[in-house]
Amino acid sequence: MKNQNAPAEGVVGHTPLTVVLVLAVIAGWAVWWVVRYLRADAMTRQSIRQAVRVRWGWKRLAPMLKLSATDKTPTALATLANTNGKPIKPRVLIPALKVTHDAFGVIARAQCLPSVGLEQFQKAAPHLADAWRCTRVAVTQDQPGQVVIRGVRLDPLKFPTEHLPTGDVPDETARWDLGVDEYAQPVSVNLTQVPGVTVAGLPGFGKTSLVNRLLSDWAPSSAVQFACADGKVSAAYEGDYADWVQRMFAFVGDDLEEANKLFRHLVELRRARSASVRSVLGVKSMWDVGPSDRWPLVVLIIDEAHTYFRDHKGSDPKTKKLAALAAENARLVEDLVKKGRSVGLLVILTTQKSTGDAIPTFIRDVCPVGLSFAQKTAEAAVAALGEEIREWPDANPINLQDPTYVGVASMNHQSQPGFTRIRTPYVADADAARIAVQTASLTADPYALLEAVLGPRLGDLDLTKTDTEAA
């Protein structure tokens, strides 16, 4: 007779093997988790423990903070199982939470529920910070129906960082990677279609290092060419840009007459590009096709900009000449900022105080991107970032004067309201010099490149008509 218990015995026979496999998987996961924990640094270990506490305490914490929803409609299964006719208890729904960690804290992604969305999570942020033992918590929309909760246990702004340039061609020519914000999240600004950037701040707080990173990251691209007017030095071998001169098609020091020649040359380039952009690129704006080797993005760095625009007072011939040069310099740079955007000219102006006497307001107010490192006065902060900075006292650069905040700047971010503070990294001089040497062969005068494209036609361009065209 056939044994009817054979299938059951087969299942029972396989049970120990299944149990062994399950236990092996659990043991492997535990070993992997322990190894990862032991190999982490002290800060990351704290974050790992913090992430575990967040996961374990979420189901209890969420209802306490009104981050739960009550579902009074019984499920089909609950209805079928209800045989005694008593009312079915409503279900309490808790948003699903996935938690990861880094050295500074935790990053949690939560699924929204009816009546529990972005607004409710943002209102609960201060209480989440207390419960999770965080310095601050921010809630943003990740995608429809999901929010990201970023909690930092340590203030990322207080930890200096360094940037090691790779020498690789950037994926996006006009994207400027600035550093990390107060939640340790990467911050970048898209300079496509941006005519000008202003950078202000006290000496020694990070302005030059900020520009140094842009040069280090963008120099490997032949679709970008640089020129510089450095008001701190008199000769190219001096100052912060001495190594970078070999990657610049033009460089001038604090001589106003030499600066005037450079600005005039760039205005002539702007006029020639405005007159020929359609015939060469087939579009009205260079940004419709992007920078290229033959039509590169031209970045003009004007460091200590007040040197070139300061109003000189006096009646002697020398002072009058300086005053005339400063006024013309301002007019020429205004032309570049107001009319150079669509043909691929970007002006970056740095100064200690971007008040009207340092950067004329008709230039400063046209620059849509502004950053400020530490400032001593509210007037300087407003000049750098606008009147709205008064409404954001936590981000005001007058609070950044402590040496701990060297390298920290405030800015009006493009993708979010208000102001944010960012920690910009330090770029070592040796690394900057390495990139400058590696990329020196890519240097070319954009005007000469345009001459090579147009040939004899360049002399036939009517450059006077473009003076009234705002790019």
Side-chain angles (χ1 to χ4, degrees):
M1 174 183 276
K2 190 175 181 180
N3 187 358
Q4 295 180 351
N5 294 327
E9 290 175 357
V11 172
V12 172
H14 287 291
T15 299
L17 179 60
T18 304
V19 171
V20 169
L21 289 175
V22 170
L23 291 176
V25 170
I26 294 174
W29 175 84
V31 169
W32 172 82
W33 194 93
V34 170
V35 170
R36 186 181 66 159
Y37 179 82
L38 293 177
R39 293 183 63 181
D41 57 70
M43 288 172 56
T44 303
R45 288 182 188 178
Q46 284 184 276
S47 296
I48 291 174
R49 295 195 297 270
Q50 183 183 24
V52 171
R53 289 196 303 270
V54 169
R55 290 190 197 100
W56 287 357
W58 177 242
K59 287 188 177 180
R60 183 178 182 183
L61 177 64
M64 296 169 61
L65 299 182
K66 299 180 180 180
L67 296 177
S68 61
T70 302
D71 185 0
K72 297 181 180 180
T73 304
T75 62
L77 184 60
T79 302
L80 292 174
N82 184 24
T83 58
N84 55 15
K86 293 182 179 180
I88 299 175
K89 291 183 179 180
R91 295 182 303 150
V92 176
L93 305 180
I94 307 295
L97 193 75
K98 293 183 179 180
V99 186
T100 58
H101 66 272
D102 60 15
F104 295 99
V106 294
I107 304 171
R109 284 177 167 80
Q111 298 296 329
C112 297
L113 297 173
S115 76
V116 182
L118 177 62
E119 182 180 352
Q120 287 69 35
F121 276 100
Q122 288 178 334
K123 287 182 179 179
H127 305 296
L128 288 172
D130 293 336
W132 292 354
R133 303 174 193 174
C134 291
T135 302
R136 63 178 76 93
V137 165
V139 182
T140 55
Q141 188 88 48
D142 185 29
Q143 59 187 23
Q146 181 174 285
V147 296
V148 175
I149 310 167
R150 173 54 166 161
V152 289
R153 187 184 65 262
L154 303 170
D155 188 352
L157 301 179
K158 293 185 177 180
F159 292 85
T161 58
E162 292 191 14
H163 174 63
L164 180 64
T166 64
D168 297 333
V169 178
D171 295 331
E172 297 181 61
T173 302
R175 181 165 294 280
W176 189 4
D177 293 320
L178 297 172
V180 296
D181 65 11
E182 48 204 308
Y183 295 95
Q185 300 303 295
V187 177
S188 62
V189 58
N190 187 357
L191 297 182
T192 300
Q193 299 280 12
V194 172
V197 177
T198 59
V199 181
L202 296 174
F205 271 82
K207 298 189 299 295
T208 301
S209 186
L210 177 71
V211 176
N212 225 11
R213 176 170 186 178
L214 181 143
L215 288 167
S216 299
D217 289 347
W218 288 12
S221 173
S222 57
V224 185
Q225 297 297 336
F226 304 96
C228 180
D230 187 357
K232 300 191 301 292
V233 301
S234 298
Y237 59 82
E238 302 173 349
D240 299 310
Y241 302 102
D243 293 319
W244 283 114
V245 170
Q246 57 194 313
R247 183 58 180 91
M248 296 175 174
F249 68 87
F251 180 93
V252 297
D254 58 3
D255 188 299
L256 266 63
E257 194 164 358
E258 291 299 313
N260 187 264
K261 292 179 182 178
L262 170 60
F263 299 154
R264 188 180 294 278
H265 176 69
L266 291 175
V267 168
E268 290 174 358
L269 170 66
R270 196 276 305 162
R271 290 175 174 173
R273 280 190 167 189
S274 296
S276 62
V277 62
R278 290 195 183 189
S279 61
V280 175
L281 300 182
V283 292
K284 292 182 179 180
S285 171
M286 180 274 288
W287 293 109
D288 291 339
V289 295
S292 62
D293 294 354
R294 65 172 185 168
W295 194 294
L297 171 64
V298 179
V299 180
L300 170 62
I301 300 166
I302 307 179
D303 202 342
E304 301 297 344
H306 53 272
T307 302
Y308 307 103
F309 307 135
R310 183 167 65 89
D311 186 15
H312 295 264
K313 303 291 185 182
S315 57
D316 59 286
K318 184 176 181 180
T319 303
K320 286 184 177 180
K321 181 180 179 181
L322 291 175
L325 285 171
E328 188 176 12
N329 287 340
R331 181 185 64 79
L332 293 171
V333 173
E334 179 189 16
D335 180 287
L336 296 175
V337 173
K338 289 185 175 180
K339 302 178 182 180
R341 172 181 57 83
S342 65
V343 294
L345 273 78
L346 169 66
V347 181
I348 300 176
L349 304 107
T350 78
T351 186
Q352 296 176 26
K353 274 198 327 181
S354 55
T355 48
D357 56 336
I359 301 177
T361 55
F362 52 78
I363 296 175
R364 185 193 69 195
D365 294 346
V366 181
C367 297
V369 177
L371 299 93
S372 179
F373 292 86
Q375 296 287 359
K376 278 192 172 182
T377 65
E379 175 198 12
V382 169
L385 300 172
E387 284 288 341
E388 288 186 2
I389 190 60
R390 298 184 189 273
E391 301 174 14
W392 297 80
D394 290 343
N396 199 309
I398 61 176
N399 299 321
L400 301 177
Q401 297 180 54
D402 190 291
T404 304
Y405 293 113
V406 170
V408 177
S410 295
M411 70 171 293
N412 189 342
H413 200 281
Q414 291 174 314
S415 62
Q416 60 190 46
F419 294 83
T420 186
R421 295 176 296 172
I422 57 173
R423 159 64 68 177
T424 62
Y426 172 73
V427 179
D429 292 339
D431 292 323
R434 169 175 56 85
I435 299 298
V437 170
Q438 291 176 358
T439 61
S441 60
L442 301 177
T443 307
D445 188 332
Y447 198 92
L449 295 175
L450 189 61
E451 284 182 322
V453 172
L454 292 176
R457 289 184 296 158
L458 183 62
D460 297 332
L461 296 177
D462 184 359
L463 304 182
T464 59
K465 292 182 180 179
T466 64
D467 287 341
T468 58
E469 296 177 0

